[in-house]
Amino acid sequence: MGAAESIVEFLELDVPALPNGNTKLDANQAVTIQAEHLEVFSPDGTKLVGPVSFTLDANQATALVGPSGAGKTSLINAILAFCLTKVH
């Protein structure tokens, strides 16, 4: 449940005024996320995920499945961190 809770927290963040004047991200806005050859590394340089390519289509449910330790949470955290840098 950790990654799901992170996504909810991300969507509830106060952000600087967006081009439309809002200060909250709109959880109802359709956004497609696409990555090609994405790799995720730990701060010490250890590769955690990848390379992986994917498209998360707007308005579609996507399941991220795999065994424990496969990098699911690391991938979600990387996507959220990227989104945060684009917002701020």
Side-chain angles (χ1 to χ4, degrees), residues 28-68:
N28 297 315
Q29 182 179 2
V31 176
T32 295
I33 298 173
Q34 184 174 13
E36 294 184 19
H37 311 292
L38 176 69
E39 295 179 300
V40 179
F41 294 87
S42 69
D44 70 4
T46 303
K47 187 189 295 188
L48 302 174
V49 176
V52 61
S53 298
F54 59 86
T55 299
L56 304 175
D57 290 318
N59 298 318
Q60 297 292 315
T62 302
L64 184 59
V65 296
S68 179

Side-chain angles (χ1 to χ4, degrees), residues 60-85:
Q60 297 292 315
T62 302
L64 184 59
V65 296
S68 179
K72 300 177 299 291
T73 300
S74 296
L75 181 59
I76 294 296
N77 288 339
I79 293 168
L80 291 173
F82 177 78
C83 291
L84 283 173
T85 61

Side-chain angles (χ1 to χ4, degrees), residues 3-39:
E5 290 170 353
S6 296
I7 292 170
V8 170
E9 289 174 12
F10 172 74
L11 292 174
E12 293 175 346
L13 282 176
D14 284 325
V15 297
L18 299 171
N20 62 6
N22 291 341
T23 57
K24 288 228 182 256
L25 297 173
D26 183 357
N28 297 315
Q29 182 179 2
V31 176
T32 295
I33 298 173
Q34 184 174 13
E36 294 184 19
H37 311 292
L38 176 69
E39 295 179 300

